[in-house]
Amino acid sequence: MSTERSQKAEEIMHHTRILLTAGGYNSFSYADLAERVQIRKSSIHHHFPGKADLVQAVVSDYRQQAQAGMAATSQHFSGDALGEINSYVNFWATCIHENNSPFCICVMLAVELTILPIEVAKEVSGHFNDLTNWLTDVLDRGEKSGVFILRESAATEAKSLMATVHGAIISSRAFNNADVFQQIVQPVIKRLTKTG
């Protein structure tokens, strides 16, 4: 569900997403945002009464963008499950290489899940459910068409692939090396497409 927001609210959300990507929920305050956006803290409160409201809005938008991306990928690669998986992986590889969105904010926030406001935690968990369901569907279709050889259920393989991608994102950051991402992910994709 899309929400009409002012240009300033969108700018606040944009900078919040950058700050969340860099350090998570507790890494910034409204004072940090006010400095970045060049407005008073009270003006931020006008758009988003509390930090939980702001971060929930950012994660909700992130979820909607991810859902749209998954749907577009499935439509574009209709009948090509391997193409869908490669597109998902290549999206993150490009983000990491170009450093334009090199980290999933939901991965960052998942680390803090137990201390997040409940409304934010629900959005974060919702994102992982959305992604797992999509990957499960893609892997299931790929197995039925003979593209993938799954050793576990499609749902288990989906969670494993998702964890691998997210772990590879973290490893790329830890090693400060964008190439690490594909070095970790590609063998897993090869395993899905081969026997033995």
Side-chain angles (χ1 to χ4, degrees):
M1 162 176 85
S2 183
T3 305
E4 283 293 321
R5 296 190 181 96
S6 70
Q7 185 175 348
K8 189 54 73 174
E10 293 289 348
E11 187 180 354
I12 291 165
M13 289 176 66
H14 170 75
H15 285 282
T16 299
R17 185 167 168 172
I18 292 169
L19 290 165
L20 287 170
T21 301
Y25 188 86
N26 289 312
S27 68
F28 71 96
S29 67
Y30 271 21
D32 299 317
L33 274 174
E35 186 177 326
R36 280 176 165 258
V37 184
Q38 298 295 299
I39 59 173
R40 296 186 316 273
K41 285 194 296 182
S42 60
S43 296
I44 299 174
H45 284 286
H46 168 74
H47 295 285
F48 302 98
K51 186 175 180 181
D53 301 302
L54 170 58
V55 176
Q56 180 185 19
V58 171
V59 179
S60 178
D61 271 17
Y62 184 85
R63 269 185 83 184
Q64 290 173 34
Q65 291 168 6
Q67 289 166 348
M70 289 180 261
T73 299
S74 291
Q75 185 175 11
H76 181 76
F77 290 96
S78 180
D80 179 7
L82 181 58
E84 290 179 75
I85 295 297
N86 283 329
S87 179
Y88 165 61
V89 167
N90 290 337
F91 167 81
W92 282 112
T94 301
C95 287
I96 293 164
H97 268 281
E98 294 179 358
N99 200 32
N100 58 11
S101 182
F103 210 84
C104 172
I105 63 170
C106 287
V107 171
M108 184 65 81
L109 290 170
V111 174
E112 302 175 284
L113 200 65
T114 58
I115 58 170
L116 291 177
I118 189 71
E119 60 269 43
V120 176
K122 282 182 180 176
E123 290 289 348
V124 172
S125 295
H127 170 74
F128 286 101
N129 286 325
D130 297 341
L131 182 54
T132 299
N133 291 339
W134 179 72
L135 288 170
T136 299
D137 180 61
V138 174
L139 292 172
D140 185 54
R141 284 187 280 108
E143 182 180 40
K144 286 176 181 166
S145 67
V147 173
F148 297 130
I149 298 125
L150 306 184
R151 289 159 180 83
E152 304 292 339
S153 70
T156 299
E157 294 281 11
K159 288 173 187 149
S160 177
L161 178 60
M162 182 177 65
T164 300
V165 168
H166 291 154
I169 292 169
I170 293 168
S171 295
S172 290
R173 180 180 273 192
F175 288 105
N176 194 28
N177 182 346
D179 295 332
V180 167
F181 177 79
Q182 290 284 22
Q183 290 166 7
I184 293 169
V185 175
Q186 284 308 314
V188 174
I189 294 175
K190 284 180 187 169
R191 180 186 63 78
L192 288 170
T193 58
K194 290 183 181 176
T195 55

